Amino acid sequence: MNHTAAPFSRRVAPALAMATAVVLALAGCSSSSGGKKSEEDTADASAGKASTPRMTIAMITHAPSGDTFWDTIRKGAEAAAAKDNVKLIYSNDETAGDQANLVQNAIDQKVDGIAVTLAKPDALKDVVAKAEKAGIPVVGLNAGMTAWKEQGLLSFFGQDESISGQALGTKLNSTGAKHALCVVHAQGDVNLEERCAGVKKTFSGKTDVLYVNGSDMPSVKSTITAKLKQDTTIDEVVTLGAPIALTAVQSVSDAGSKAKIATFDLNKELVSAVEKGAIQFAVDQQPYLQGYLSVDALWLYKNNGNYSGGGEEPVLTGPAFVDKSNIDSIAAFAAKGTR
């Protein structure tokens, strides 16, 4: 990209990059959010907001409607925006082509920075390049760890999905599971595919992959139920999102199966399910932190020329396991919608 700070910033020492990430992580505060596709201005900033000139940042995600995971990302982004005197424009579309159009809209509005998810990197490649050519700094979050550097983004905030999948697979080995069903709720989403591939790589038992339509929960429920009835050897259902996990609980019951359920990602209802033992454990990637750091990183770049991760390494927000041993320490934050 044509940013004058790039040559120096990309040589920032790892220790400095880590220190920057720690400072960012400690700066969060709470904020309200909604779940529908929209463009909203975070108008009311907190009392301690930055005195730097007002800037506009667009956050564009591939979030499907109604998935509370993305509400948490948005809350983090709004909290950082309030602190940093930033006008935040949030929009989302799970269709890659439409998401690309939203990025183009942000370019046309001449925003000061863009935070984007790259669930389908090839579909966003050209429009990301247009943003960079227009001199608009771009950071990635949540999806696109294998593509962010190639596409020239400043930084990336998320978890290595392959590593997180492998960690879950390894944990399953200690549970006695023999046959896992990995449920992919959005076919072609690189994050989800990498998770299942990671599970298969380290899990010593058999791993099957089941594709479902994550935007149609009754269909998700019936598809998982039918699979469990068809193959009674499945003793572990691995889901890739909290709403799918909660639906899988119903499927296991309907199928009369004894399968356990493990999942990626949290929401308030899933925390309760872990507390009750309906869900074994969850892999938490801290979505609030992803939203917060993305906005804060663009503010830091504009006002101090900083690159989180030195522009060379991603800033990891996960994975971390949440189970009965530590759920109590997280439940209070989940109740506020920030975990």
Side-chain angles (χ1 to χ4, degrees), residues 6 9-10 16 20 30 85 101 106 159 163 172 179 183 215 220 246 267 280:
S9 298
R10 291 186 183 277
L16 177 58
T20 300
S30 63
N85 192 24
N101 290 336
Q159 70 179 2
I163 296 300
L172 286 184
H179 186 177
V183 182
S215 62
V220 170
L246 295 167
N267 64 16
Q280 279 178 301

Side-chain angles (χ1 to χ4, degrees), residues 244-258:
I244 308 299
L246 295 167
T247 300
V249 172
Q250 301 173 38
S251 296
V252 167
S253 177
D254 290 351
S257 170
K258 295 182 179 180

